[in-house]
């Protein structure tokens, strides 16, 4: 006989929910009145609209990836799971999850999507800066791009790549969990009994994650123009001659690693992508960290004034132009 719910507990829950809703409504109305007093309600509605748009879109993307991972893992489970000690142990978990499977398939993505949407909505200013970007009419000396790209577009692209990476990782984790629990993903016997759909699904998601890492490496090239050192802000000798080329190499290596993950569909083995991932990590440490450090200590330090002089001059010119002093003799 099911336990009866306490009317007192239900009342407290309803009152707590009403208190939260009324508090949020009061805060919202206070903001509206304050902006109305300044005759700038459009500023508030623009911000609120951007927050809602980002929250809904990013929340739906994250929830969709997590939901699809859970649902597809169950939908394409093998009819007869291999008879192994591993599967016999998982039978108990499947039996325990079955009564709440449908609820969990909806509730877990909804909660994850809500959290992701709330976090993404805080980037409303980054979105609006990108959406209303205007050219500055000044070209960057290293990349040949308008300076407005670094102010308006680059922060937004960095956020998009970081968000999609997180969303894909969450979707991959949900898919791996579902495929493993329902027998599609086999860890024993070197994964030879893993279903073809599980290989296709997981390798595609992981390839997407690595491709986004390649995009991140490529965007990191542009962020060098914004980094600060002890003497200046912008690209210096080591950045131009060591870091920039290595970021491009790492981006290309990441694309090749993503192709290795897709090769799992035909080879049915994770050996190649695992080797590729390990090599990518080694290359990122050696080429992305050790090599620039050696250039800085062995090449730049002994002749710093002569090697860094052109970069200091460009930085001084950019600073004078930013403050409107470039026309003064």
């Amino acid at each position: 006989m099911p336990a009866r719910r306490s009317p007192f507990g239900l009342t407290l829950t309803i009152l707590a929910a009403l208190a939260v809703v009324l508090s949020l409504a009061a805060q919202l109305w206070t903001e509206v009145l304050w902006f109305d007093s300044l005759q700038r309600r459009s500023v508030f509605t623009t911000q609120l609209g951007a927050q809602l748009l980002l929250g809904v879109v990013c929340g739906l993307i994250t929830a969709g990836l997590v939901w699809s991972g859970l649902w597809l893992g169950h939908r394409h489970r093998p009819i007869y799971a291999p008879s192994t000690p591993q599967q016999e142990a998982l039978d108990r978990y499947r039996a325990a999850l079955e009564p709440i499977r449908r609820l969990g398939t909806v509730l877990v993505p909804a909660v994850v999507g809500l959290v992701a949407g709330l976090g993404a909505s805080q980037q409303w200013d980054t979105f609006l800066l990108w959406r209303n970007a205007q050219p500055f009419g000044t070209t960057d000396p290293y990349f040949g791009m308008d300076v407005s790209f670094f102010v308006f577009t680059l922060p937004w692209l960095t956020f998009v790549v970081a968000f999609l990476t997180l969303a894909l990782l969450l979707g991959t984790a949900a898919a791996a969990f579902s495929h493993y629990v329902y027998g599609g993903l086999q860890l024993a016997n070197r994964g030879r009994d893993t279903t073809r759909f599980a290989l296709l699904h997981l390798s595609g998601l992981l390839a997407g994650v690595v491709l986004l890492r390649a995009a991140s490496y490529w965007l990191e090239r542009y962020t060098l123009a914004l980094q600060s050192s002890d003497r200046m802000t912008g690209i210096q000798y080591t950045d131009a001659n060591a870091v920039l080329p290595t970021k491009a190499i790492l981006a290309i290596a990441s694309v090749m690693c993503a192709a290795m993950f897709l090769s799992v569909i035909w080879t049915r083995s994770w050996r190649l992508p695992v080797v590729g991932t390990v090599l990518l990590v080694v290359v990122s440490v050696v080429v992305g960290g050790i090599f620039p450090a050696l250039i800085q200590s062995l090449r730049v330090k002994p002749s710093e004034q002569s090697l860094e002089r052109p970069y200091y001059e460009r930085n001084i010119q950019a600073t004078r132009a930013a403050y409107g002093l470039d026309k003064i003799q």
Side-chain angles (χ1 to χ4, degrees):
M1 184 176 180
R4 296 180 58 187
R5 296 182 180 178
S6 172
F8 180 71
L10 183 60
T11 302
L12 287 180
T13 302
I14 295 175
L15 290 176
L18 286 175
V20 172
V21 172
L22 289 175
S23 176
L24 293 176
Q27 182 179 358
L28 179 64
W29 184 243
T30 302
E31 294 283 349
V32 171
L33 293 177
W34 188 82
F35 278 97
D36 275 345
S37 67
L38 301 176
Q39 297 181 351
R40 290 292 185 270
R41 177 182 285 195
S42 61
V43 175
F44 178 69
T45 55
T46 301
Q47 174 186 338
L48 186 61
Q51 287 180 310
L52 289 175
L53 178 63
L54 282 177
V56 171
V57 172
C58 295
L60 287 176
I61 291 174
T62 307
L65 287 171
V66 174
W67 174 84
S68 64
L70 295 174
W71 184 79
L72 290 173
H74 177 267
R75 175 67 176 80
H76 293 274
R77 66 192 184 280
I79 298 177
Y80 301 104
S83 180
T84 61
Q86 171 187 332
Q87 290 302 314
E88 292 176 1
L90 287 174
D91 285 340
R92 296 192 296 270
Y93 293 101
R94 285 192 283 264
L97 288 174
E98 188 57 32
I100 60 172
R101 179 183 59 80
R102 292 187 177 180
L103 178 62
T105 304
V106 175
L107 186 60
V108 171
V111 173
V112 174
L114 178 62
V115 174
L118 289 175
S121 66
Q122 302 305 311
Q123 299 294 324
W124 61 270
D125 51 347
T126 304
F127 168 72
L128 288 178
L129 285 173
W130 167 76
R131 181 67 179 81
N132 299 281
Q134 298 293 326
F136 285 1
T138 302
T139 303
D140 174 75
Y142 300 101
F143 302 102
M145 306 177 70
D146 193 274
V147 176
S148 63
F149 169 81
F150 302 90
V151 179
F152 303 127
T153 306
L154 183 59
W156 170 248
L157 293 179
T158 302
F159 162 73
V160 170
V161 171
F163 165 75
L164 291 178
T165 301
L166 178 60
L168 271 181
L169 285 174
L170 292 173
T172 303
F177 170 80
S178 186
H179 283 299
Y180 177 72
V181 168
Y182 291 103
L185 176 62
Q186 297 291 325
L187 301 181
N189 196 23
R190 297 184 179 180
R192 291 192 178 94
D193 294 324
T194 299
T195 62
R196 183 171 182 81
F197 183 85
L199 288 173
L200 176 65
H201 191 195
L202 293 175
S203 62
L205 289 172
L206 290 171
V209 171
V210 180
L211 282 176
L212 286 171
R213 186 55 192 154
S216 179
Y217 278 129
W218 194 260
L219 290 177
E220 287 173 6
R221 298 168 64 251
Y222 301 111
T223 59
L224 294 174
L226 306 176
Q227 69 177 3
S228 299
S229 63
D230 296 336
R231 298 188 178 183
M232 58 171 284
T233 297
I235 293 178
Q236 296 179 248
Y237 181 89
T238 302
D239 300 325
N241 295 275
V243 180
L244 276 175
T246 56
K247 293 296 183 183
I249 292 173
L250 289 172
I252 296 173
S254 298
V255 173
M256 297 172 63
C257 186
M260 293 179 185
F261 274 101
L262 292 178
S263 70
V264 174
I265 302 172
W266 297 277
T267 62
R268 299 185 63 85
S269 173
W270 294 99
R271 179 179 302 176
L272 191 59
V274 169
V275 172
T277 303
V278 172
L279 290 176
L280 181 61
V281 173
V282 172
V283 170
S284 65
V285 173
V286 176
V287 178
I290 298 178
F291 177 65
L294 291 176
I295 294 295
Q296 180 68 24
S297 61
L298 300 179
R299 173 67 175 164
V300 177
K301 286 296 183 182
S303 308
E304 185 170 3
Q305 290 186 355
S306 61
L307 292 178
E308 297 287 15
R309 182 172 181 175
Y311 304 95
Y312 292 155
E313 291 177 349
R314 289 178 184 145
N315 182 257
I316 292 173
Q317 292 173 2
T319 304
R320 288 170 56 86
Y323 285 96
L325 304 175
D326 53 323
K327 304 301 183 182
I328 297 177
Q329 299 296 326

